Amino acid sequence: MSDSIFSNTMKSLTPPKMYGLAMAAALVAGVLAWIQPSQAREAFAVDAKEGNFPLVLTADLPKEAREALSLIRKGGPFPYSKDGIVFGNREKALPKQPRSYYHEYTVKTPGAKNRGARRIVCGGNQASGDCFYTDNHYDSFRKIKE
């Protein structure tokens, strides 16, 4: 009996209905991927290993990020005591380097009662090395192009 129900159901699936089911499946897959931050981070880490980062021009950064980048290039002084500490890259969101290669700096967030989620992380020589901007506390980075 279930075979006949299955056969009848399959016969009723016309191409437009099959297209609709495929679209629904794609939508569900997209939502599931969206709610799995660890999977998104892993996908981003693969890009990081290859050095493929979205770019952000310095001029397109928020004013506070431009100010922080200017201080970084000058060597300070920095407004937060944690500015300049080693960034461990535990999330593997940036290209693999020795532990003390990356340093992080706070980007002021207007209205935030703490340091907020915005950071600039620079590698190598802080005066001229590659820097990356995150506005979501290390979930993703954009390479700063000066």
Side-chain angles (χ1 to χ4, degrees):
M1 183 172 200
S2 63
D3 287 337
S4 63
I5 292 172
F6 180 75
S7 297
N8 289 338
T9 302
M10 290 305 293
K11 288 176 187 173
S12 69
L13 285 178
T14 61
K17 288 182 182 176
M18 290 172 64
Y19 177 77
L21 284 173
M23 292 301 292
L27 178 64
V28 168
V31 168
L32 289 175
W34 180 71
I35 62 171
Q36 299 292 331
S38 62
Q39 289 177 351
R41 242 185 238 123
E42 287 172 16
F44 189 80
V46 170
D47 285 345
K49 289 176 188 172
E50 298 172 11
N52 297 329
F53 287 92
L55 296 177
V56 60
L57 297 174
T58 302
D60 293 334
L61 288 169
K63 176 181 70 117
E64 298 84 4
R66 292 191 308 269
E67 292 168 354
L69 186 61
S70 177
L71 287 177
I72 293 165
R73 297 305 191 206
K74 292 176 188 172
F78 302 107
Y80 295 91
S81 62
K82 291 190 175 185
D83 285 343
I85 64 170
V86 170
F87 175 72
N89 198 24
R90 288 185 299 274
E91 296 87 353
K92 296 182 175 70
L94 296 176
K96 187 175 180 177
Q97 294 289 345
R99 171 144 168 68
S100 62
Y101 183 78
Y102 293 112
H103 296 265
E104 69 174 90
Y105 303 87
T106 307
V107 174
K108 289 181 184 178
T109 302
K113 294 180 180 172
N114 56 21
R115 290 172 61 211
R118 303 189 304 178
R119 301 284 187 279
I120 292 177
V121 176
C122 295
N125 180 344
Q126 305 306 293
S128 61
D130 288 336
C131 292
F132 302 86
Y133 175 71
T134 178
D135 58 5
N136 53 25
H137 206 258
Y138 319 120
D139 280 342
S140 65
F141 286 92
R142 291 181 281 164
K143 188 173 183 179
I144 300 172
K145 183 169 175 60
E146 296 181 65

